[in-house]
Amino acid sequence: MTKLLLSLHVLASILAVGPVTVAASMFPRYARPPAPGGAGAGDHDLRTAAFLHKICRVYAMVGIAVPVLGFATGAQMGVLGDAWLLVSIVLTAVAAALLMAMVLPGQRELLGEEGAGLVAERRAAAGRLAMTTGIFNLLWATVVVLMIVRPGSTTGA
């Protein structure tokens, strides 16, 4: 049962979190309005940005399976109290909160501001969103490393 749960947890991670990290990373490029003078006008495409936002929203909901399967796997393995897993749980919660409180609303804001506000302000908002998305992705990368290395593990890894 442990191998099945672990396999499902890893598959859910790849299939749910992977698309969110990629789509969220690509979003600011397409949502950022072109600079005055037209520099970067080729990248500005709100239809693509809207599609990337939809991917983030849908896969964020599917991504709920990752911690659910993770808790089930951890319970089955008897490691729910291990420090590496507790840190991973905290980082996962922070990443989820960042996605729900900053990344998705930031994307919605940029999609809804077409023609509203100063271009410089919208470009700055896209830059902040790119930074926030980078932090989100770094949190997930850290969780992946913790899941592989498992400090204090007796498996020899």
Side-chain angles (χ1 to χ4, degrees), residues 32-113:
R32 180 179 292 123
D43 290 340
H44 184 66
D45 182 356
L46 286 181
R47 285 184 298 193
T48 300
F51 178 67
L52 293 169
H53 175 63
K54 184 175 182 178
I55 289 171
C56 290
R57 279 193 345 260
V58 169
Y59 281 91
M61 297 307 293
V62 174
I64 292 169
V66 175
V68 169
L69 289 166
F71 275 110
T73 303
Q76 185 74 27
M77 294 173 67
V79 296
L80 286 179
D82 288 5
W84 64 270
L85 186 60
L86 295 174
V87 171
S88 294
I89 291 168
V90 169
L91 293 177
T92 298
V94 171
L98 194 61
L99 179 66
M100 296 310 210
M102 296 183 77
V103 174
L104 292 176
Q107 289 177 348
R108 276 192 303 272
E109 183 180 323
L110 281 170
L111 287 173
E113 286 188 347

Side-chain angles (χ1 to χ4, degrees), residues 21-35 38-53 56 103 106-107 110-111 114 122-134 137:
T21 58
V22 172
S25 295
M26 293 174 63
F27 179 89
R29 173 181 178 182
Y30 292 102
R32 180 179 292 123
D43 290 340
H44 184 66
D45 182 356
L46 286 181
R47 285 184 298 193
T48 300
F51 178 67
L52 293 169
H53 175 63
C56 290
V103 174
Q107 289 177 348
L110 281 170
L111 287 173
E114 182 61 21
R122 292 186 359 235
R123 287 182 61 81
R128 285 189 301 275
L129 180 61
M131 180 190 66
T132 303
T133 300
N137 291 343

